Amino acid sequence: MATIAVLGTLDTKGLEHAFLADEIRRIGHQPLLIDVGTGKAAQVNPDITSEEVASAGEVDLAELKQRGDRGECVSAMAMAAPRILERLFRDGRIDAVVSLGGGGGTAIATAAMRALPIGFPKLMVSTLAAGNTAHYLGDKDITMMPSIVDVAGRNRISRAVFRRAAGAICGMVDVTTVSSDDRPLIVASMFGNTTECVNAAIPVLESAGYEVLVFHATGSGGRAMESLIQSGLVDAVLDITTTEWADELVGGTLSAGPNRLDAAAQAGIPAIIVPGCLDMVNFGERDTVPSEFSDRKFYVHNPQVTLMRTNETECRELGRILARKINAYTGPVTVMIPRQGLSVIGGPGQPFHDPTTDAALFDTLTSLLSENVKVVSMDHRINDAAFARACAEALLDNLQAKREGT
């Protein structure tokens, strides 16, 4: 029997969460009812009170209630709830978490869920599930389920949704996910413009006994990769596609945020860093590109994606950013530079081929790197088989150096 955290604002949605808890119990698992409400008294008796949750986050709930600012209360509970779930997970007291909510409840519950590791079952039944949920999900594997009707009472629709939610979270717990694959793990970043490189590198690493997980460098992919590295499950990083930093710097649509490239440094694991696709910034449809860039060079990748060529000023700044990030690495790290092009469209004869601008990036990056960072510069395009193999072999060398403590 698993213990499933049923977390919600029990002051306004206590009866709904109690119904969900009863369904979990009927299926054969044990619910743990956690109150994160900040208003009146809970409608049902929780196993963990809102005061206990607030205390875990060093929040004075009584004082917040007295001030009567609902937004402030929700924000405070969204900071406290992750603490209680982290503690319950760390102590082995919960096996999954589920919640029902509107705007405030969804904000609190998903903040708590984001504190839990990838692979831990998380289900959010929400009135907001049909919209843009990116800021609720973050880089975690939270399953969002539309509530269809408001989470306000038990009716013929909501009862059916809540029962299926109970079945879904219990099913997640019941499914065995333990992998028999015990190979050490490498993560790699890839884009359509670097697919050939990563695909050519993977067999080299697999033949050496490693499993390779590929993340699409679309912002959310980079964040997910960083999160997995932080979990401690990753042995090395093949970061071929650091393009998300171009979007972060210039204001494109695929930024992974300012912490991209930090996780490997903190983990101290071997890494290969390539300035892959830093020759481009991603935007949406052509007419959505900000007018300030009207004089720039563009390439329409498809009707929904417009690529803009980075210029020399941006490339020099990208070189400075990457150097600062890479210099913080404590594990063996090698920077691989493909001087004949950073993407499919950046090679000779292609729309974004610009050796002078690329040189601004390469020269700035290499001039600022620490002496302990190895640099390999090759007269190849990023997708040439020779460059891909060199990246894989350099990572294997770094893994060997890590094992030998050199």
Side-chain angles (χ1 to χ4, degrees):
M1 178 188 296
T3 298
I4 298 174
V6 180
L7 180 147
T9 53
L10 304 189
D11 56 336
T12 59
K13 295 172 172 45
L15 299 178
E16 294 82 359
H17 282 88
F19 179 89
L20 177 62
D22 286 342
E23 288 299 305
I24 290 171
R25 195 176 290 110
R26 182 182 62 80
I27 294 171
H29 293 297
Q30 179 64 42
L32 182 74
L33 206 53
I34 304 173
D35 184 17
V36 291
T38 58
K40 299 178 181 179
Q43 297 171 343
V44 295
N45 291 325
D47 297 299
I48 297 177
T49 67
S50 58
E51 288 77 15
E52 291 176 279
V53 175
S55 177
E58 300 179 353
V59 171
D60 189 335
L61 188 58
E63 182 182 340
L64 285 176
K65 287 183 177 180
Q66 189 173 14
R67 288 206 291 266
D69 187 322
R70 183 175 183 274
E72 186 181 13
C73 288
V74 169
S75 297
M77 194 58 82
M79 290 189 292
R83 302 274 188 89
I84 199 74
L85 276 196
E86 278 184 309
R87 181 185 301 172
L88 292 169
F89 168 75
R90 191 170 57 248
D91 294 344
R93 293 181 57 191
I94 56 173
D95 303 286
V97 58
V98 62
S99 182
L100 316 169
T106 300
I108 295 169
T110 54
M113 292 176 186
R114 291 195 300 272
L116 298 170
I118 291 172
F120 188 89
K122 319 168 189 71
L123 174 62
M124 182 74 231
V125 181
S126 174
T127 59
L128 305 174
N132 181 2
T133 61
H135 53 298
Y136 295 115
L137 303 181
D139 54 16
K140 294 301 173 66
D141 54 344
I142 300 170
T143 300
M144 295 285 282
M145 180 177 178
S147 63
I148 306 302
V149 295
D150 199 358
V151 182
R154 292 153 295 165
N155 52 59
R156 68 181 67 184
I157 301 297
S158 64
R159 282 195 299 269
V161 172
F162 299 163
R163 285 191 178 112
R164 286 183 171 84
I169 196 65
C170 290
M172 291 183 195
V173 168
D174 288 337
V175 171
T176 300
T177 58
V178 177
S179 173
S180 59
D181 193 338
D182 58 357
R183 291 177 295 171
L185 190 62
I186 293 173
V187 294
S189 57
M190 189 172 79
F191 223 31
N193 268 277
T194 58
T195 296
E196 290 181 54
C197 180
V198 177
N199 283 348
I202 288 174
V204 178
L205 299 171
E206 289 180 337
S207 65
Y210 293 90
E211 181 182 13
V212 182
L213 301 185
V214 179
F215 291 81
H216 203 187
T218 56
S220 59
R223 290 190 298 273
M225 188 176 82
E226 296 282 317
S227 179
L228 187 62
I229 295 168
Q230 289 173 342
S231 74
L233 298 175
V234 176
D235 296 277
V237 181
L238 182 68
D239 213 342
I240 296 291
T241 316
T242 49
T243 185
E244 288 153 317
W245 259 111
D247 286 61
E248 171 69 13
L249 174 67
V250 182
T253 58
L254 301 184
S255 166
N259 297 323
R260 179 73 170 87
L261 294 174
D262 287 353
Q266 294 161 3
I269 56 178
I272 297 297
I273 309 294
V274 181
C277 291
L278 286 181
D279 56 354
M280 61 182 66
V281 179
N282 292 264
F283 292 103
E285 294 86 349
R286 180 65 180 84
D287 60 5
T288 67
V289 178
S291 58
E292 64 189 274
F293 299 121
S294 59
D295 61 340
R296 301 287 289 274
K297 182 181 291 185
F298 295 98
Y299 178 81
V300 178
H301 181 68
N302 63 49
Q304 288 75 44
V305 177
T306 304
L307 307 177
M308 182 179 78
R309 184 50 163 103
T310 46
N311 61 27
E312 285 190 42
T313 300
E314 291 159 354
C315 282
R316 279 191 288 271
E317 182 59 24
L318 288 168
R320 284 189 281 269
I321 292 169
L322 259 65
R324 185 174 70 251
K325 295 286 183 177
I326 296 166
N327 286 340
Y329 280 46
T330 55
V333 57
T334 303
V335 174
M336 304 288 297
I337 295 179
R339 288 200 168 269
Q340 287 298 314
L342 296 170
S343 65
V344 169
I345 60 174
Q350 296 298 316
F352 279 8
H353 184 58
D354 187 342
T356 301
T357 300
D358 286 347
L361 169 62
F362 302 152
D363 295 346
T364 303
L365 172 59
T366 56
S367 69
L368 295 174
L369 288 172
S370 300
E371 291 182 0
N372 63 319
V373 177
K374 185 177 181 181
V375 178
V376 177
S377 182
M378 299 182 67
D379 192 30
H380 285 285
R381 296 169 299 175
I382 194 167
N383 289 306
D384 286 348
F387 182 78
R389 186 171 187 85
C391 288
E393 291 175 345
L395 185 55
L396 294 175
D397 288 343
N398 287 349
L399 281 158
Q400 182 65 27
K402 177 72 172 180
R403 284 192 294 270
E404 295 175 351
T406 58

